[in-house]
Amino acid sequence: MLIGAFAVAHTPQLLIRPETEDRDLVLRVHAAMARVKGRLQAMKPDAIAIVAGDHVEAFFLDAVPALAVYVGRECAGTFGPYRYRLDIHEDLARAVVEQGIERGFDLLYTQDARLDYAFYVPLHFVMPEPAIPIVPLHVNVYLPPQPTPARCHTWGVALGEILRARPERVALIASGGMSHFPGTDRYDSPEFEYDRGVLEALREGRGRELARVTGEELDKRGNVELRTWITLLGAVGDARAEVYCYEPSWHHGNAVVEWPLP
Amino acid sequence: MSEAAHYRFPPSQAYPLNRCLFALKSDRAFAERFLADAHAATEEMGLTEGERADLRHMDRDALVARGAHPYLVFMAGLRLKMLAEPATLEYF
């Protein structure tokens, strides 16, 4: 069963705040993430499937998968002083790989990959208590050639069908976004108006329009990570988004969103 | 993806540079050696002298122009700051 769907920013400065970051803004994003945590507590999911773009941590240039599933008993990673280790819902993860392959998606799977903060930052703030197992799903966002938005959407449609047919109660989270240009000369000038247009379309249930955006457009708009959202949009169909927050910092459009599901 | 993209296909001649940035980002022991002596730490990494100089200064635009992946440059810089100036950061 697919019982919930959310998108959550994963800016590292939300977890470890340098003096360059507006503390009040960071706390407002934390408050929006706390709402997600409250929703998850109430929904009582058996697992969280989280779609994130590994930030060249599990997968460096020795192997660059377009789509991957972490299958195993647990996954672990570090970020600065944080050491994290999370249980994987192995049955569900394995079902996603097997049924995904069966449906024609050439998924990579791993039983031993480092879990990046792109997964960890949202879970640090939204994981229910006691913690529940996860299924980490990777979409390549940073190393060209990335999967096209259309492919991400198609994968998301299949993922949604797979999850809906399962006995477990599953919440789906897309990690990342919105506009930002880390490491480039555009770092201090994200495309906030583009983000606001995307959020308006999502509020109106027009998420499938994002499947038609090109990879070039996402790069130009600082939104390569929207591939994780577009994957989720394939799974939620025409559900209308509720935007918990949109907080543009000097370098990043921080959004927290829920798609309430019937 | 065009050559004007912000995130471009990583050229293979920049592989040693990207490997080094990856290590700065993800290998704490290497990052500590780099902070102690950047020149010595990058001795065996197969880098050009120009690449080593740009790394010492973490010159973002110069590194990216050499084929470094911008995200790796960004996160290597943030990780080095986290190691060098931990007291300037707030942890949640």
Side-chain angles (χ1 to χ4, degrees):
Chain A
M1 279 174 284
L2 181 60
I3 61 166
F6 304 87
V8 181
H10 66 224
T11 328
Q13 295 96 335
L14 295 172
L15 182 65
I16 297 176
R17 187 184 69 84
E19 67 282 6
T20 51
E21 306 302 308
D22 176 347
R23 189 167 196 272
D24 290 338
L25 181 149
V26 167
L27 295 181
R28 288 196 297 275
V29 180
H30 287 180
M33 294 194 288
R35 281 183 68 189
V36 174
K37 180 174 179 174
R39 289 282 292 147
L40 288 171
Q41 295 265 150
M43 287 176 182
K44 301 192 187 313
D46 298 314
I48 293 173
I50 177 167
V51 184
D54 170 72
H55 286 27
V56 204
E57 178 74 6
F59 309 112
F60 181 59
L61 295 172
D62 45 350
V64 182
L67 303 168
V69 184
Y70 295 54
V71 185
R73 281 165 44 199
E74 60 179 24
C75 52
T78 65
F79 188 66
Y82 297 91
R83 302 276 179 278
Y84 37 93
R85 182 173 293 280
L86 295 159
D87 289 339
I88 290 177
H89 198 300
E90 193 171 357
D91 290 349
L92 183 59
R94 188 169 159 190
V96 169
V97 173
E98 289 176 344
Q99 294 178 34
I101 295 272
E102 196 63 32
R103 287 164 180 261
F105 296 88
D106 300 321
L107 304 170
L108 177 146
Y109 68 87
T110 173
Q111 296 182 344
D112 184 21
R114 291 194 289 187
L115 195 72
D116 181 40
Y117 73 81
F119 294 95
Y120 179 65
V121 169
L123 294 172
H124 177 85
F125 292 102
V126 311
M127 178 62 87
E129 296 167 32
I132 58 174
I134 64 172
V135 177
L137 301 161
H138 162 71
V139 175
N140 173 27
V141 299
Y142 275 116
L143 287 170
Q146 303 98 324
T148 62
R151 181 63 170 168
C152 295
H153 193 266
T154 305
W155 165 229
V157 170
L159 178 64
E161 289 171 1
I162 293 167
L163 297 179
R164 282 193 181 85
R166 291 288 303 180
E168 301 89 357
R169 297 167 57 78
V170 184
L172 183 60
I173 295 177
S175 168
M178 296 178 85
S179 188
H180 63 308
F181 295 93
T184 78
D185 58 6
R186 288 286 311 277
Y187 190 53
D188 61 0
S189 53
E191 300 244 356
F192 298 134
E193 286 313 306
Y194 181 82
D195 286 356
R196 291 189 174 102
V198 169
L199 290 172
E200 195 48 40
L202 298 181
R203 278 193 189 93
E204 294 171 2
R206 295 188 283 118
R208 68 180 67 223
E209 290 178 11
L210 282 184
R212 296 198 293 272
V213 172
T214 63
E216 283 80 1
E217 177 79 355
L218 292 183
D219 180 273
K220 187 177 162 191
R221 304 298 191 172
N223 265 307
V224 293
E225 289 180 351
L226 270 190
R227 284 175 175 83
T228 68
W229 292 41
I230 294 168
T231 305
L232 176 144
L233 288 167
V236 303
D238 297 326
R240 289 170 181 258
E242 181 182 347
V243 178
Y244 285 9
C245 81
Y246 181 70
E247 293 285 350
S249 78
W250 65 274
H251 58 83
H252 197 114
N254 293 284
V256 179
V257 176
E258 177 178 3
W259 287 263
L261 299 181
Chain B
M1 189 64 66
S2 84
E3 291 309 304
H6 296 98
Y7 301 102
R8 294 186 284 275
F9 184 87
S12 60
Q13 81 269 11
Y15 181 83
L17 180 58
N18 280 316
R19 186 71 189 74
C20 185
L21 287 162
F22 173 72
L24 286 174
K25 170 180 94 65
S26 299
D27 179 346
R28 185 183 174 124
F30 177 72
E32 284 172 348
R33 288 204 303 280
F34 181 88
L35 281 173
D37 186 340
H39 197 71
T42 54
E43 187 86 57
E44 306 288 326
M45 302 291 284
L47 303 173
T48 67
E49 285 309 310
E51 288 171 333
R52 292 173 75 189
D54 290 340
L55 274 172
R56 273 201 302 283
H57 304 111
M58 283 308 282
D59 185 333
R60 180 192 70 190
D61 294 343
L63 289 166
V64 171
R66 290 182 184 280
H69 192 284
Y71 173 78
L72 291 176
V73 176
F74 165 75
M75 189 47 66
L78 182 58
R79 293 293 184 107
L80 290 171
K81 180 180 170 64
M82 285 160 61
L83 272 180
E85 306 165 32
T88 66
L89 301 158
E90 181 178 11
Y91 301 86
F92 292 100

